[in-house]
Structures are given as C-alpha cells and as structure tokens.
Amino acid sequence: MENWSVEQVCNWLKQRNLGELVPKFREEEVSGAALLALNDRMVQQLVKKIGHQAVLMDLIKKYQQQKSGLESLTYSCETALQKFPEVISGKNLKSFFARYKTLQWTSSYALPDFPYDVKCILAEKKCPDHSMRIRIIEFLQADMTKYLEGSLYPNSQQYNIVVNALLQAYPFLDEDGNGFLLWKRALKDRFKYVRRPIEDDEQVLRNKCKFGHRKGQTRKSSFAENKLDDVQVQVEEEPTHLKGSTMDLHIKWLNQEYKKTQKNWEEVDNKMNVTIEIRRKMITDKAPLKDILRLFPFLRCPYLLFREFQLLTHMDIYKKTVEILEVYSENILSLYVVRNNPINIMLQENLKQHTEEDVLKYMKMTAACLLLPEVFGDDSSLFAAVNEEVKAATPVLEVKNPFNVNSCEFALYVEREELAQLDDCTMALAALVAAFRVFDIPCPRRIHRTLSFLESLVFEVRNPASLPTQAKTGTSHLHDLEGTQRV
C-alpha cells in the first residue's frame, strides 16, 4: 500500500464502499504513503461523515497491524532456529518451515514473466480482450502452483497478494474500481476448473470428500460472465430441474447473505445464476416489484443489476455508459438548446471553483448526463429529479447537489421507492437504462427518444441514433432513431 498511486487509493476506496470519498482524495492527492500517515485530525478534514471516518481509520489501523504482525513473524522465523534449535524438531519442524515458507511466499511474490503476446498488450496499456484475460489468468494460476510446490489450494491471503501485485503493476486493469474482486474471483475459479477433473491427487481427493464431492457425482457447469468483465470462467451450478424446496433454500440463503456486512460475492453470483429462471418468470408474469425484491434483494446492488443486464443481453452496460459519456459530453454541452438551461448555468458556476482536470471532467459528464432529455426534447422529470422529490413511477434518478464533489448523491428510484444508491453519474445512467430492461418496464413515450439514443449505442446497432444537429437559429433537428431497440 505504501507505493500506491492516488488512483490506486481511489480504487481501494471504491472496493470498500467508500466511493463518495474519491473526489476529495483526488483533490488532496492522497497516495498510499499519505493514506497510512493520516491522523484523526486529517481524516476529519478529509471525510465529512462520521461513519466513513470510523470505517477509514479502522481499515488503516488493521492494515498497519497486519503489516506489523507479518514483519514480527518473519523476524521470529529467521531467528528461531538459531536460538531454539532443540525445540524445533519432528512434527513441529515441519509445521514451522511450512509457516515460514508461507510468510516468505506472501512477502516476496513477484509477477511471472508473461509470454510475449501478453507483454505486448500490457505494455500498450490496452484493456485485454476475452481470450487475453484468460491467458493472463491461466499463467497466474500456473505460477502460483509453482510457488505452492504443486498444491492447488492457495489461501485467501495468497490470492490477495497475487491480485494486488497484478493491479499495482498494471493499474489500467482495474477499469471500474472493481478489478480486485473480478481478477481474484477469476483466479479462484481457474483453480476450481483445474481441480475438478483430478482423481489421483491425495490433497484434491481429501478436500473433495470434505466438501461433499463424492466419486461418480456429476455436476452441471456453465460459462457465465464474470461481473462487469469479459473474463469467462467456469462456475458450478446445480441442475435446472431443482425441486421447490431446494430453490427455497437458495432464496433463503440470498436473503440471509444480503443482511451481512461481509458478503460472499462468489456464492451470491452462483445462487443468482441458479435462480435466474424463476426470477425471470416472475418478472415476465408481472409480479409486483416489491415481491421480486423481497425474494432477490441483491438486485438492489448496482453490480448485480448490471450483471443481470449482462446475462440477458451479453452487454456490459457500465462500460458502455462510460464510453458514451466520455465521447458525447462535450458535444452535448455545446448545443444551443442547453445553453441557458439551469443545469448548464449551475455547471458553469461550479467550474470556476475548481482547476483539477479530473474534477472538471466529472462535472461535465454529470451535466451532460442530466441534460440528455433536454437535448432530445423529452420530459426531464421522467429521467432525473435534481434537488427535488421523485414523482415518476417508472425508473428515474434522484440527484442531490450534482456538482458538489463532497456532497453529491445519486439514487435510482422505481415505483417511487429507492432501489439503489449510486456512486456517480456514470453508474446512475447505467442503472437507469438497466432497470428498464431487467424489470421489463415499458419506456414512457415522453422519454423514449433519450433512452432509444442510449440503447442504440449500448447495443451497437448498425445505424445508431445521433445527437440533434445545432442550427444557426438555435433550433435543433432530431435525426431518425433508426435501428433502436425497445427499452
């Protein structure tokens, strides 16, 4: 952590549900070394909410304790043989060396020398495609197995060490702040895939017996999209012809897990895979939304909402939304139709108060997102309620203080009830589009052109919709929305 850049610290905050602290940490240029040097007074100045202050200080304290403990144990291992050779013998000696080797492994791990084609992609800082991601995962798994002297059962700390090393060496692999969880899960699933067909390894057989995998037992497996990623990994699923009582157990587990502070996201994904048929049937049969959310509360989590969208459409809605706002923000803000809009006026006033490039870009993307309905002549109240009460029953965003980097808030509402809290405008826009598709909600006519424009870009139709062209007189003309799909 000491060597982390400001951006790596920001990604670390997002992974721990502290995403709203990111703008301030960027503004103050808090690197890894600076993070570990924060005292109570500094944290109070950086972080507004007391709850977030407590969480942040606790995380820093735990890291420092873990680091101190590792250094202490390593020193003990190095000196114990010299001081107490007569005690370290037999079974104790084996255990001692095993622990010492683990400490050495985790404290000195270095990434492997990747093959030439992988090196080329990483050197260009390009986001690897599906096949290249699998290549990276396969190579990491093989390298870890060598460190483990053939064992196929790394512990959680060893997974963390390897994934942290990967993301520190190549920060661009952490595209949306969820990279750590994505790569860790892909790596764990790769080990599972390698272990599954093995029948002659004592350790594998012992663990299979321990966790209920009996000889001759068959399991149905499928390939599933890995969160908001293109990493294709094999996950175990139960047969689709599940009995009602078994399905009830899955749903009960999901409800219990949702209430926990530390969630088993890997198992959540597996349970959501198993229950997708009954969930889609409920939605198709127009079951009340409150009943659907009561049985499947994880649909309130943005990541699971995006993942459901991806399972239905094979499209990464969050990644596409980032691309849309980055490409179209400047064009939207330059249109005559939005020049005197209150949102644009508010934006211009706030731009004068900041000079940081990231903050300015964030503000412009937020404004462009909120101004989309105005550009297409749609009803903005069916798109976002800015600093006011949500009135629409269809999916709509609630936005508070959109240009205040310290207190801006985004939330998705459906049927006038809050469905999810969101980190920023990009996540908010992605969640809005996803909600219409996931919950099979008809698009209101008065917001149809805006959402058709977004979907035509998300689904990469042959003739995507265009922004209105700006005439000299200040009037605007809409291009035909050919090829757009139903929201």
Side-chain angles (χ1 to χ4, degrees), residues 31-238:
S31 63
L35 178 67
L36 295 176
L38 293 177
N39 56 35
D40 291 347
R41 182 179 57 81
M42 294 176 182
V43 171
Q44 290 173 3
Q45 291 177 341
L46 271 174
V47 183
K48 181 179 179 181
K49 296 180 180 178
I50 295 177
H52 288 168
Q53 292 176 11
V55 172
L56 182 62
M57 288 301 295
D58 183 59
L59 289 171
I60 294 173
K61 181 180 179 181
K62 286 181 179 177
Y63 175 83
Q64 291 172 336
Q65 289 176 342
Q66 182 181 10
K67 180 186 174 186
S68 176
L70 180 60
E71 291 174 347
S72 175
L73 285 170
T74 303
Y75 175 78
S76 299
C77 286
E78 291 172 346
T79 58
L81 281 174
Q82 300 173 4
K83 292 185 177 181
F84 308 105
E86 68 282 0
V87 178
I88 310 295
S89 61
K91 186 176 180 180
N92 290 338
L93 182 64
K94 183 178 179 180
S95 175
F96 177 85
F97 275 113
R99 179 149 182 78
Y100 179 46
K101 189 174 291 185
T102 299
L103 289 170
Q104 284 187 316
W105 195 100
T106 55
S107 61
S108 63
Y109 179 80
L111 287 173
D113 186 21
F114 288 112
Y116 179 75
D117 57 337
V118 176
K119 284 183 179 179
C120 291
I121 294 294
L122 295 176
E124 295 174 3
K125 297 185 177 180
K126 289 183 178 179
C127 177
D129 60 15
H130 161 74
S131 61
M132 189 58 66
R133 288 177 182 271
I134 292 179
R135 289 263 288 149
I136 294 173
I137 287 296
E138 288 176 344
F139 214 77
L140 287 176
Q141 180 268 318
D143 188 62
M144 287 180 70
T145 303
K146 291 179 183 178
Y147 268 87
L148 293 165
E149 297 183 346
S151 172
L152 294 174
Y153 289 92
N155 60 38
S156 182
Q157 184 185 15
Q158 289 164 340
Y159 279 121
N160 293 344
I161 289 290
V162 173
V163 175
N164 276 326
L166 179 69
L167 296 185
Q168 286 182 25
Y170 308 105
F172 59 91
L173 294 178
D174 191 9
E175 296 176 67
D176 57 4
N178 293 320
F180 179 85
L181 295 177
L182 299 178
W183 287 95
K184 181 178 178 180
R185 198 184 81 167
L187 191 54
K188 292 177 72 174
D189 285 335
R190 177 61 191 174
F191 270 97
K192 287 182 182 179
Y193 178 72
V194 171
R195 292 194 300 259
R196 187 174 295 117
I198 295 177
E199 297 181 354
D200 57 355
D201 183 276
E202 182 180 350
Q203 184 185 24
V204 173
L205 292 176
R206 186 170 59 251
N207 279 278
K208 282 185 176 182
C209 180
K210 178 179 177 181
F211 293 106
H213 298 267
R214 296 178 177 85
K215 186 175 181 180
Q217 179 181 6
T218 59
R219 273 184 174 264
K220 190 174 181 180
S221 59
S222 66
F223 285 94
E225 296 292 337
N226 199 356
K227 294 198 176 182
L228 305 179
D229 211 343
D230 291 328
V231 181
Q232 192 173 19
V233 295
Q234 193 162 9
V235 296
E236 295 182 341
E237 293 183 0
E238 297 194 21

Side-chain angles (χ1 to χ4, degrees), residues 346-395:
M346 194 187 312
L347 167 68
Q348 300 305 323
E349 292 175 352
N350 281 272
L351 288 178
K352 298 174 184 177
Q353 303 174 20
H354 298 274
T355 57
E356 300 85 352
E357 184 178 346
D358 287 346
V359 175
L360 298 179
K361 179 181 178 181
Y362 168 82
M363 288 184 174
K364 290 179 180 179
M365 290 175 65
T366 300
C369 171
L370 298 177
L371 288 169
L372 267 175
E374 300 293 337
V375 170
F376 287 94
D378 281 339
D379 186 348
S380 59
S381 68
L382 297 178
F383 186 84
V386 181
N387 293 330
E388 59 184 36
E389 182 183 356
V390 170
K391 297 179 181 178
T394 52

